[in-house]
Amino acid sequence: MALLLVLFLADILTLSQGSSQPDHVHRHIHLLRPQSGAGGDLVPGLSCLSWRLGVETNNIIGWKTIPQECGGYVGHYMLGNQYRKDSKAVADEAFLYARSLKLPRDDKDVWIFDVDETTLSNLPYYAEHGFGVEPFNATLFNKWVMEGKAPALPESFKLYKKLLSLGIKAVFVTGRAEDQRRTTAANLKKVGFHTWEKLILKESSYSGKTSVVYKSNERKKLEKNGYRIVGNIGDQWSDLLGTNTGNRTFKLPDPMYYIS
């Protein structure tokens, strides 16, 4: 698993830092073939694959950790080709939609990007913590965030560049705390997200509020200031539900954790 993680990270680091390589240049990520039991039953008739489908379709909600039996399955998925293929399918569809728009080019069209597991990948952290099997440890995760070493998600990075070429501006709306602004901004720029209209982090006034409430309010503020949210992409349903969600939303895969 450690070797495969190195191979995966080498690939996404190449792409996230990849101003020196054209978009069509890709390094091969070795497909992780599920080992015996990697998709094992949780209860009779419910496999880890079925559990992941329930998570991605927002039918399984409110969970704190992935089932213990699915740790190997989720790890294989996140480090294998299928995660990249699924992410690419979402990003490709998002670009096809964006390309079809007739935009006035008045600098008011924006696309909402989440940060964690949407633009920046925390796989190096989660690989050390069971891909979501272990309970979330805010202290350890925030320590990781403050290192500013998260690589870019390659497919989201490509979408970001294509949207900029269409005249659509990026707005990052993240659940990271306001005191992580400097590190988050530096990390984004380091891996190639070099420009944005706004970077919105969660202020202390939202303490105790759900992500749906926080992100809905911030999107509402954007629209009150004259911006048009033409698209919205995130890895959590809470990125995409609520109010002022934009003309179209796009859900990236993430079976590692759930945020309400």
Side-chain angles (χ1 to χ4, degrees):
M1 183 68 77
L3 175 59
L4 289 164
L5 176 61
V6 170
L7 291 171
F8 180 91
L9 293 177
D11 182 81
I12 57 180
L13 283 168
T14 297
L15 286 174
S16 64
Q17 297 171 351
S19 58
S20 62
Q21 291 194 11
D23 286 343
H24 67 274
V25 176
H26 301 282
R27 292 178 184 241
H28 177 67
I29 300 177
H30 294 281
L31 176 62
L32 286 170
R33 301 184 182 279
Q35 299 171 351
S36 176
D41 286 346
L42 305 174
V43 296
L46 179 62
S47 69
C48 293
L49 179 61
S50 299
W51 175 82
R52 183 169 68 86
L53 175 64
V55 166
E56 297 298 0
T57 54
N58 206 33
N59 290 317
I60 299 176
I61 63 175
W63 48 280
K64 301 298 183 184
T65 60
I66 70 173
Q68 285 281 350
E69 299 91 335
C70 295
Y73 169 79
V74 171
H76 276 66
Y77 173 74
M78 295 303 297
L79 296 181
N81 274 346
Q82 195 59 50
Y83 174 57
R84 282 289 299 276
K85 288 178 179 178
D86 292 349
S87 298
K88 183 178 187 304
V90 176
D92 286 351
E93 189 63 29
F95 177 63
L96 286 175
Y97 154 72
R99 192 173 61 180
S100 72
L101 299 175
K102 305 297 182 185
L103 302 176
R105 295 273 184 167
D106 59 358
D107 294 331
K108 289 297 182 180
D109 294 302
V110 299
W111 193 286
I112 304 292
F113 284 88
D114 175 49
V115 173
D116 293 303
E117 273 56 69
T118 298
T119 48
L120 296 179
S121 172
N122 298 302
L123 266 177
Y125 172 84
Y126 283 104
E128 293 293 323
H129 297 275
F131 297 100
V133 171
E134 297 179 14
F136 180 72
N137 186 311
T139 300
L140 290 179
F141 182 74
N142 288 335
K143 181 180 178 181
W144 154 256
V145 166
M146 294 306 289
E147 292 177 6
K149 296 179 180 178
L153 273 79
E155 305 306 333
S156 297
F157 179 56
K158 293 174 195 173
L159 174 63
Y160 162 83
K161 292 196 294 182
K162 290 176 181 178
L163 292 175
L164 292 185
S165 73
L166 295 175
I168 300 173
K169 296 185 174 183
V171 171
F172 296 105
V173 183
T174 174
R176 293 185 177 192
E178 181 62 38
D179 61 5
Q180 296 172 327
R181 174 176 294 277
R182 181 176 296 180
T183 299
T184 300
N187 197 161
L188 286 167
K189 289 183 178 180
K190 178 181 177 181
V191 299
F193 295 96
H194 53 80
T195 185
W196 52 77
E197 186 70 2
K198 290 182 180 293
L199 171 59
I200 300 171
L201 293 95
K202 194 173 184 179
E203 297 179 350
S204 58
S205 59
Y206 286 110
S207 178
K209 306 287 187 182
T210 66
S211 183
V212 171
V213 169
Y214 155 58
K215 294 197 171 186
S216 293
N217 285 346
E218 293 302 320
R219 292 190 300 258
K220 185 176 181 180
K221 290 178 186 178
L222 287 169
E223 292 191 333
K224 279 189 173 181
N225 286 327
Y227 291 105
R228 292 182 296 271
I229 303 173
V230 298
N232 181 2
I233 189 168
D235 67 296
Q236 298 290 314
W237 278 103
S238 54
D239 300 327
L240 312 173
L241 297 176
T243 65
N244 307 86
T245 55
N247 293 350
R248 266 194 77 175
T249 61
F250 297 87
K251 170 72 170 65
L252 287 166
D254 182 2
M256 296 190 298
Y257 57 84
Y258 176 88
I259 297 176
S260 62

